[in-house]
Amino acid sequence: SSPHLVQVRERIRINGQPISKDLFSKYFWLVYNRLEETKDPVHASMPAYFRFLTIMAFHVFLQEKVDLAVVEVGIGGTYDCTNIIRAPVVCGVSSLGIDHTSILGDTMEKIAWQKGGIFKPGVPAFTVAQPERPLEVLRERAQERECPLYLCPELDDFEEGCQALELGLAGAHQRSNAALALQLARMWLQRRGCHALGNLKEVPQSTELVGRPVPLAPAFQLTDAMIQGLRDTEWLGRTQVLTHGPVTWYLDGAHTTSSIQACVRWFRQAVLNQDKSHDGSEVRVLLFNATGDRDTAALLKLLVPCHFDYAVFCPNFMEVSVANNADQQNFNVTLENALTRCLENQRTWTRLLEEKVGQDPWLPSPLRVAGLLQPAPARGSLLLVPPAPRPLNSPALVFPCLAQALRWVAQGRDPHLAAPAASGAHPHPAASSGVVLLQEAAAIHVLVTGSLHLVGGALRLLDPALSQ
């Protein structure tokens, strides 16, 4: 799977656990040295990062004699380096979204064409409910490749005659992922000779299917192991909640418009579900970054309705110096470029609030009458500064690294994080007034989203055990 959150070993797991440091080191050098010895002397280049790790993963799985390998494509499918498996047991395409447009194309249809490239002759494939045109493209790709394609039934269809299925992953969007997982698991079990779950009817490979919907796979009676599997599923960085004293961190690596929409629905519900055992004020903070060619303004616009009191932007770098965090480094992006992007995000957020409020946009949302925070006039005055040509006090802040951003948000109230330096580190008026609000709030809710790499860096700081 990719990308990793904290350590690169997360990408290659056996029985759900990242391979050990010793095993990773052993196979890394074995593959590296073999490639070094056999590469073309004229065009002497090694595989790029992701391709190398893909080769290494296949080698690990072969050497460790795994029974079944679940391989997630990197980007797209057709031209992805994972797509060298000629005869997999089964293929799955989850809910499509607009992402990596410079590589995959700028429409859902083009992206669907790329995803359908993993279909193989005679190998059953499954997908979930998709918009009409992209689904047609997937069907056409399946016919081209003589691949029987089925649509997964809704998870509700599996609940008939049994109690409601409980999912370990929060969010309504995980229900379609669960339905897809069940179908993929059934195909593997059938391959192993387990026919108690029923067989799929063959899809005729003929022109009769043109213009018709993708056939629906039947629901089946779930085994106890399947029910338990859905309930016990954990996936770091996806709809994950960490409660550290008065500070609650909501981590979700959403980075497309559809996944951000799902993240917003989850976050708003999760905050409502939090135990309200206090009478004091609550502060909501957004910690955001986005990478690549993503339309950041479109993503931020979807987050405005969450009514954040502060929006904090920072690069995915954990510290200003990243020398000691090799797993977290990105050699394709300089700190300067990353900070420029954060400043653009800050301006975008301010503009979005101006459009939303229409007046006094630089006043943070704690001044809302019906909002989460209703500060006394004295406290509210902390957020005001003398009139200036451009308002100095904005609820949007930029920090040069994740560590500084997290420390400012937590204000020493998260036992896992050190308190921020007090020696004038935050001369910005919004940062200064925010300190008081954050220190006095009964509860601080922080949504970290926009990038899996951002979430990974945050997890490394918030849960040091993950780095072991």
Side-chain angles (χ1 to χ4, degrees), residues 107-166:
T107 67
M108 291 277 273
E109 290 82 358
K110 290 176 183 175
I111 290 170
W113 187 92
Q114 295 279 0
K115 303 286 184 182
I118 66 170
F119 297 156
K120 302 290 183 286
V123 174
F126 295 87
T127 189
V128 296
Q130 311 279 9
E132 186 179 355
R133 272 299 298 142
L135 187 60
E136 281 180 26
V137 173
L138 287 177
R139 183 179 62 224
E140 288 162 7
R141 291 286 271 162
Q143 285 186 289
E144 280 171 25
R145 292 166 170 262
E146 300 181 344
C147 158
L149 175 66
Y150 301 88
L151 197 63
C152 293
E154 298 289 332
L155 199 60
D156 295 1
D157 296 341
F158 290 93
E159 294 177 339
E160 291 179 11
C162 69
Q163 78 264 32
L165 293 168
E166 187 184 333

Side-chain angles (χ1 to χ4, degrees), residues 66-191:
V66 300
D67 302 301
L68 169 70
V70 181
V71 180
E72 181 200 30
V73 302
I75 294 177
T78 300
Y79 304 117
D80 194 79
C81 63
T82 57
N83 197 26
I84 61 166
I85 304 168
R86 294 193 182 96
V89 173
V90 63
C91 296
V93 176
S94 59
S95 185
L96 296 172
I98 296 284
D99 199 17
H100 303 294
T101 52
S102 61
I103 301 170
L104 305 181
D106 55 2
T107 67
M108 291 277 273
E109 290 82 358
K110 290 176 183 175
I111 290 170
W113 187 92
Q114 295 279 0
K115 303 286 184 182
I118 66 170
F119 297 156
K120 302 290 183 286
V123 174
F126 295 87
T127 189
V128 296
Q130 311 279 9
E132 186 179 355
R133 272 299 298 142
L135 187 60
E136 281 180 26
V137 173
L138 287 177
R139 183 179 62 224
E140 288 162 7
R141 291 286 271 162
Q143 285 186 289
E144 280 171 25
R145 292 166 170 262
E146 300 181 344
C147 158
L149 175 66
Y150 301 88
L151 197 63
C152 293
E154 298 289 332
L155 199 60
D156 295 1
D157 296 341
F158 290 93
E159 294 177 339
E160 291 179 11
C162 69
Q163 78 264 32
L165 293 168
E166 187 184 333
L167 299 187
L169 296 176
H173 58 292
Q174 296 294 355
R175 292 182 69 80
S176 72
N177 289 336
L180 180 59
L182 289 172
Q183 295 292 348
L184 302 182
R186 173 168 79 162
M187 291 310 302
W188 166 243
L189 289 170
Q190 281 184 201
R191 172 69 70 89

Side-chain angles (χ1 to χ4, degrees), residues 419-433:
S423 56
H426 308 298
H428 195 291
S432 305
S433 59

